[in-house]
Amino acid sequence: MTKIKETSTNFANKKALADECPEIYASNIIGGQWALAICCYLINGKMRFGELRKKLQNITERMLTLQLRRLEEDKIITRTVYAEVPPKVEYELTEIGYKLKPIILEFEKWGNEHKELMKQS
């Protein structure tokens, strides 16, 4: 996962859109298949790294780590490390992260409706 150069036109366009439109801002945070998928699993409660890795079978450990760090930076999830051997780490949605639940459920509903529509045509 590479970052967009801050001097690029693409970066400037994304920033301008996000500044003007809260929907684009939100989409930039939870957009992408992995961030949203992680949030989907965490709406049911805390999970450990290995549990998330098993649920997201096609994600690499590196990508999962990067996505979890980004979600933590954006204050969507919290990471709790327990002083145990081996170390125990749990991830959980923050208060603002849990506010995604009705949105995620609506995405699910819309996705199912759209799949059905596409089957019919």
Side-chain angles (χ1 to χ4, degrees):
M1 187 169 99
T2 59
K3 286 195 170 192
I4 300 171
K5 291 182 184 176
E6 292 186 21
T7 56
S8 73
T9 305
N10 188 16
F11 180 84
N13 289 341
K14 276 189 160 193
K15 184 167 178 358
L17 275 171
D19 289 347
E20 292 174 18
C21 181
E23 296 86 354
I24 299 294
Y25 175 82
S27 175
N28 288 342
I29 292 172
I30 62 164
Q33 70 189 55
W34 298 124
L36 186 56
I38 290 166
C39 291
C40 287
Y41 286 115
L42 291 177
I43 62 171
N44 297 315
K46 297 176 184 178
M47 291 184 82
R48 294 180 68 178
F49 184 90
E51 293 173 309
L52 283 167
R53 179 80 171 86
K54 285 177 188 169
K55 296 279 188 186
L56 302 163
Q57 295 179 3
N58 294 324
I59 195 170
T60 63
E61 285 189 21
R62 176 170 161 61
M63 181 56 70
L64 180 55
T65 299
L66 290 170
Q67 290 295 313
L68 289 168
R69 284 181 187 161
R70 192 178 67 95
L71 288 167
E72 188 177 11
E73 286 173 15
D74 289 335
K75 308 224 184 307
I76 303 300
I77 66 169
T78 59
R79 177 179 186 265
T80 305
V81 181
Y82 296 92
E84 296 179 8
V85 177
K88 177 182 173 183
V89 180
E90 289 182 332
Y91 296 92
E92 182 178 24
L93 291 173
T94 59
E95 185 178 338
I96 193 82
Y98 274 114
K99 289 184 179 185
L100 289 169
K101 187 171 184 169
I103 298 163
I104 290 170
L105 295 175
E106 281 299 313
F107 263 131
E108 178 183 24
K109 180 181 167 188
W110 183 88
N112 287 330
E113 288 177 13
H114 191 265
K115 275 186 195 177
E116 195 57 40
L117 176 71
M118 295 307 289
K119 284 181 188 176
Q120 294 172 4
S121 53

